[in-house]
């Protein structure tokens, strides 16, 4: 509970608290993620590209290619989309809430602006 109250996850091997997706408790470029087991434990996940080469932090593997999740070009020409991880460390291109975008009807829109809504909505 102490980790959750800090907005962090417990790394079981050392019983220490760390931000999810951080590399701090992990070796070999891994990131702290939840395992897909029913126990909800955390593990250090490493990423490899199509050729089997290890992706060093901050790089990850997306569609078999080595990508930097912080690179705006990693998701193509849609500027509002970024590589965003889920709890298990799987990355996908999504509207980036971290920079103020939300998804509606398959498109990214700036949060708190009119977007596709009618004037009275």
């Amino acid at each position: 509970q102490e980790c959750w109250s800090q907005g962090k996850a417990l790394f079981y091997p050392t019983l220490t608290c760390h931000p999810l997706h951080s590399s701090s408790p992990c070796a070999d470029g891994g990131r702290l993620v939840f395992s897909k087991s029913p126990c909800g434990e955390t593990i250090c996940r490493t990423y490899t590209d199509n050729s089997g080469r290890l992706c060093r932090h901050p790089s990850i593997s997306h569609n078999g290619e080595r990508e930097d999740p912080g690179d705006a070009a990693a998701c193509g020409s849609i500027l509002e989309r970024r590589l965003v991880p889920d709890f298990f460390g799987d990355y996908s291109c999504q509207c980036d809430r971290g920079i103020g975008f939300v998804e509606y009807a398959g498109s990214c829109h700036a949060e708190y602006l009119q977007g596709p809504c009618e004037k009275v909505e």
Side-chain angles (χ1 to χ4, degrees):
Q1 268 185 333
E2 182 178 321
C3 292
W4 284 113
S5 66
Q6 298 173 21
K8 298 179 179 180
L10 177 66
F11 183 53
Y12 289 93
T14 59
L15 297 177
T16 54
C17 302
H18 301 275
L20 203 57
H21 309 295
S22 68
S23 62
S24 56
C26 302
D28 297 326
R31 292 177 187 242
L32 183 67
V33 300
F34 281 101
S35 71
K36 292 186 178 180
S37 77
C39 298
E41 62 188 357
T42 54
I43 58 170
C44 285
R45 178 175 175 179
T46 55
Y47 298 88
T48 56
D49 62 17
N50 274 339
S51 64
R53 290 180 297 168
L54 186 66
C55 299
R56 296 274 182 205
H57 190 272
S59 295
I60 54 98
S61 178
H62 176 68
N63 294 331
E65 299 295 322
R66 186 181 307 236
E67 299 282 359
D68 179 351
D71 183 2
C75 289
S77 62
I78 304 173
L79 297 177
E80 302 90 2
R81 293 194 182 273
R82 300 285 189 274
L83 284 172
V84 179
D86 63 14
F87 291 119
F88 308 109
D90 295 322
Y91 282 78
S92 61
C93 290
Q94 299 175 20
C95 299
D96 189 357
R97 291 194 65 101
I99 58 173
F101 289 94
V102 294
E103 187 161 341
Y104 177 79
S107 298
C108 298
H109 300 277
E111 195 169 20
Y112 305 117
L113 294 181
Q114 179 83 29
C117 301
E118 298 294 325
K119 290 188 183 232
V120 295
E121 295 182 303

